[in-house]
Amino acid sequence: MSYGGYGGGYGTPPPSGGYGAPPASGGYGAHPPSGGYGATPPSYGAQRGPGGFNAPPPAGPPPGADPQLWNWFAAVDADRSGSISVFELEKALVNGDWTPFDLDTVKLLMSIFDTDRSGTITFNEFAGLWKYIKDWQNVFRHFDRDRSGSVDSGELQEALRQFGFNLSPPLLALVEKKYDVFKATGVAGPGQREPGISFDRFVRCCVVIKQLSESFQRLDTDRDGWIQINYDQFMSTVLSLP
């Protein structure tokens, strides 16, 4: 089984401290560093943004908590349980065109930040999720060069290249088909206005490619771009991914 033969083997790891790299190895609670490319392009504010959380109602924070961040948490915690379920998070997250987040993306985010594996996220875990989404907004803005509110084929290729993942043209086409609702089904998703990969799917796409690449690299001990594994190793690798 080979990976990424196109363009010189699998992509080099995203540079430490470089902008736009997906979360660093060793903990997906990490996030792309702010600054650098992450600065919002001057004209972007007049266009549809990448998305994020719905506006919260005012609420009083507990002692020591950031008031704004607590307001967001309280707004998402609809049942006032003190933690957020995947369904509460799904209702809270929207793209820049107000379409809801893809449920698979929400589940991926939950798996990243539910560090105690309780099935919900607490306020402290939510704080990491908040920062993560805000940083990915900057990444998305940078690569959405035409300010369309979605990432097209060329923009996706540039993003993955800068992250260090040199996918072959057939693999890129497969990624687009998987994450672009138009290309996958021939019709737009709910509320989607044009072709391309929306913010939520862009995040999931980049995180999944990084996770798969890292899994391959752990097996490719001699770094030649080829691995030989048995059935148990393959299934173990696949099933260990979120």
Side-chain angles (χ1 to χ4, degrees):
M1 181 183 297
S2 67
Y3 163 71
Y6 178 75
Y10 49 66
T12 55
S16 59
Y19 165 81
S25 302
Y28 276 99
H31 43 263
S34 58
Y37 291 139
T40 304
S43 63
Y44 199 89
Q47 306 293 332
R48 286 182 288 143
F53 289 93
N54 275 313
D66 176 84
Q68 182 184 22
L69 190 58
W70 176 257
N71 281 352
W72 286 114
F73 180 80
V76 178
D77 180 20
D79 63 2
R80 300 298 184 263
S81 65
S83 60
I84 294 171
S85 70
V86 66
F87 300 108
E88 289 174 325
L89 188 60
E90 180 190 15
K91 292 178 181 178
L93 290 169
V94 293
N95 289 300
D97 58 0
W98 298 103
T99 56
F101 261 40
D102 176 82
L103 181 58
D104 286 337
T105 303
V106 178
K107 289 179 178 178
L108 177 63
L109 292 171
M110 287 288 293
S111 72
I112 292 171
F113 288 94
D114 178 18
T115 55
D116 60 3
R117 296 296 178 257
S118 65
T120 60
I121 54 176
T122 62
F123 175 69
N124 288 335
E125 292 168 335
F126 177 80
L129 172 61
W130 167 269
K131 182 67 166 62
Y132 189 82
I133 289 178
K134 296 295 286 184
D135 286 335
W136 271 112
Q137 287 175 333
N138 288 335
V139 174
F140 187 87
R141 286 187 177 106
H142 175 70
F143 291 110
D144 179 21
R145 301 189 188 281
D146 60 3
R147 308 298 182 259
S148 66
S150 61
V151 169
D152 62 25
S153 177
E155 292 165 342
L156 175 64
Q157 183 176 19
E158 176 64 15
L160 294 176
R161 186 188 65 79
Q162 288 198 27
F163 293 158
F165 303 120
N166 299 311
L167 273 62
S168 66
L171 275 179
L172 282 169
L174 185 61
V175 169
E176 281 190 86
K177 184 176 181 180
K178 181 176 180 65
Y179 293 103
D180 183 339
V181 175
F182 275 94
K183 291 194 174 184
T185 65
V187 297
Q192 190 175 3
R193 302 176 186 177
E194 52 193 288
I197 298 175
S198 56
F199 172 63
D200 56 338
R201 287 172 172 262
F202 175 76
V203 173
R204 181 157 60 96
C205 168
C206 293
V207 172
V208 167
I209 287 174
K210 183 175 189 293
Q211 290 174 334
L212 290 171
S213 299
E214 288 177 343
S215 294
F216 185 93
Q217 289 172 350
R218 283 192 291 270
L219 296 169
D220 181 22
T221 55
D222 60 1
R223 297 295 184 266
D224 66 352
W226 291 84
I227 60 175
Q228 184 172 356
I229 60 176
N230 61 32
Y231 177 74
D232 282 353
Q233 288 173 310
F234 171 79
M235 291 299 290
S236 176
T237 299
V238 172
L239 293 174
S240 66
L241 296 171

